[in-house]
Amino acid sequence: MSQPRRASALFLEGVVIVVSILLAFFLEGWGEDRDLARELRQELISVRTELERNRELVAVEIVAIDRQISGLSALVQTIDAAGGAGLITVPDTLAWLSTGWNLSLNPSIGAVTALIASGRLARVQQAELRIGLAGLDEALADVIEEELYARQIAMEHLAPLLGQSIRLDYSIGNEFFQSAGEGLTVQERVRAQPFPSRGMVEFPTTLPIRNAITLRLAWLSSGRSELASLRTRLDDLIAMTTDEIGR
């Protein structure tokens, strides 16, 4: 073979080798991208399931808070209507609901946390979805904080003020919370269940007690507003996640 032909053959061979290498890199990268896309999709499916579950929890938590707000409001109205009487007579369930029933939202964000930790949140195309998922833990913490303040008022202010002046049968709570329905939260198990009752109790109407009840009512009302906003936020995140999964 002449020198020019040999050089041409070597050149073509070199081109084939380079093209083959580039093609191999391309195929490898394409395969990796496809694997990452598949993994992201699976993670987003888990995230959507988790968001939907949290939306259910928020919905029943709103029902639970509405019951507390209703009880607290009724108790304040009864105290005000008493016109300064030292004691009023109210159903024990109303007194217990207003002063002793303390629940709080217990959401799960394990799938969202895993998505962030894996670094695949950055591959989500919708910027609004990325921001919403990244800030979800703070939004949940804000809602829970409102409820914890309401609980703190009951435990640290109302309980000492009431002291021995009121005798509540706390077996009411045990009977209420131990209802049937395994695998559900307390809020879900008792959302439509009437409170058990042992009768009427005498409830003190001092100004510090009324103020503590009013303050607890304010925190619960604020928490209720936060929960309603959170439910809307979860609806939006679920819709965006569904859209992202379908891309």
Side-chain angles (χ1 to χ4, degrees):
M1 181 182 295
S2 65
Q3 192 68 25
R5 288 184 177 179
R6 180 177 300 173
S8 178
L10 290 174
F11 172 76
L12 290 174
E13 184 179 345
V15 169
V16 170
I17 292 173
V18 170
V19 169
S20 299
I21 292 173
L22 292 175
L23 181 60
F25 279 128
F26 170 78
L27 292 175
E28 182 179 1
W30 176 77
E32 289 178 356
D33 286 342
R34 186 176 60 178
D35 289 342
L36 289 173
R38 183 171 58 251
E39 291 170 359
L40 175 60
R41 185 175 185 277
Q42 290 302 316
E43 284 196 90
L44 287 174
I45 290 173
S46 296
V47 166
R48 182 176 61 185
T49 300
E50 186 172 74
L51 293 174
E52 290 171 342
R53 177 56 179 157
N54 283 331
R55 181 174 58 183
E56 294 173 358
L57 294 178
V58 167
V60 294
E61 189 70 12
I62 288 175
V63 173
I65 285 190
D66 282 343
R67 295 181 82 172
Q68 288 183 290
I69 289 174
S70 177
L72 285 162
S73 298
L75 188 56
V76 170
Q77 291 173 8
T78 305
I79 290 173
D80 290 344
L87 293 171
I88 56 175
T89 302
V90 298
D92 56 359
T93 53
L94 177 60
W96 176 73
L97 175 62
S98 303
T99 62
W101 189 30
N102 295 294
L103 297 175
S104 108
L105 183 67
N106 186 25
S108 169
I109 56 170
V112 174
T113 301
L115 178 65
I116 296 172
S118 71
R120 280 188 276 274
L121 178 63
R123 296 179 62 86
V124 171
Q125 296 183 33
Q126 300 173 79
E128 189 175 355
L129 178 57
R130 292 198 302 270
I131 295 171
L133 292 177
L136 183 59
D137 59 338
E138 292 184 7
L140 292 170
D142 288 342
V143 173
I144 293 171
E145 185 177 42
E146 306 280 346
E147 293 189 282
L148 290 179
Y149 279 136
R151 175 182 295 184
Q152 184 177 357
I153 291 168
M155 297 176 64
E156 297 183 8
H157 296 278
L158 267 177
L161 286 171
L162 291 170
Q164 298 299 316
S165 61
I166 181 173
R167 298 184 182 279
L168 285 177
D169 185 351
Y170 283 97
S171 66
I172 293 174
N174 294 331
E175 180 180 335
F176 187 68
F177 290 143
Q178 292 172 3
S179 306
E182 293 301 322
L184 302 174
T185 65
V186 172
Q187 293 92 320
E188 287 174 307
R189 287 192 282 117
V190 301
R191 63 181 301 176
Q193 177 184 332
F195 288 101
S197 175
R198 303 288 186 270
M200 307 293 285
V201 296
E202 291 186 327
F203 196 92
T205 64
T206 65
L207 183 59
I209 288 176
R210 186 194 183 283
N211 288 343
I213 292 173
T214 302
L215 183 59
R216 187 166 189 242
L217 178 59
W219 278 114
L220 285 172
S221 298
S222 177
R224 207 272 185 202
S225 296
E226 294 280 354
L227 281 166
S229 297
L230 177 60
R231 181 169 55 184
T232 299
R233 180 171 183 166
L234 289 170
D235 285 338
D236 293 340
L237 288 175
I238 290 168
M240 286 188 287
T241 302
T242 299
D243 180 62
E244 189 76 22
I245 291 170
R247 287 173 182 253

